[in-house]
Amino acid sequence: MGRVGYVRRSESDWRRLIEEWAQSGQSQEAFCASRGLALSSLCNWRRKLKGESVSSPESPPREAAGFIELTAPVASD
């Protein structure tokens, strides 16, 4: 027996849905409820597509994470 209400969506469908959500002004929960989407699916696809966009030509390259040295301020007398 299959899942009730399950719809297989393509990557392009999710890109479109995420763009619609971003422009809707709704919370993720409200958007998903109004479209009959699972919130977990929207979150998973946002994370997956965000990871891809890091290397896309339209976004600037990100610097590698690293460490910086922090020093405590010197107390003045």
Side-chain angles (χ1 to χ4, degrees):
M1 186 159 110
R3 290 183 272 187
V4 177
Y6 178 78
V7 176
R8 180 172 216 103
R9 291 181 174 82
S10 68
E11 182 176 321
S12 61
D13 290 338
W14 281 108
R15 287 183 189 278
R16 181 182 47 79
L17 285 165
I18 291 167
E19 181 64 28
E20 287 177 15
W21 164 73
Q23 302 214 357
S24 73
Q26 295 178 305
S27 68
Q28 291 179 21
E29 293 86 356
F31 181 81
C32 288
S34 71
R35 297 287 201 308
L37 302 171
L39 176 60
S40 60
S41 294
L42 180 71
C43 293
N44 289 337
W45 275 99
R46 283 187 65 218
R47 187 178 317 112
K48 178 180 177 176
L49 297 174
K50 181 179 179 182
E52 289 179 6
S53 69
V54 169
S55 60
S56 69
E58 61 271 1
S59 64
R62 298 177 87 187
E63 293 184 25
F67 292 96
I68 59 169
E69 183 178 351
L70 298 177
T71 57
V74 177
S76 8
D77 292 327

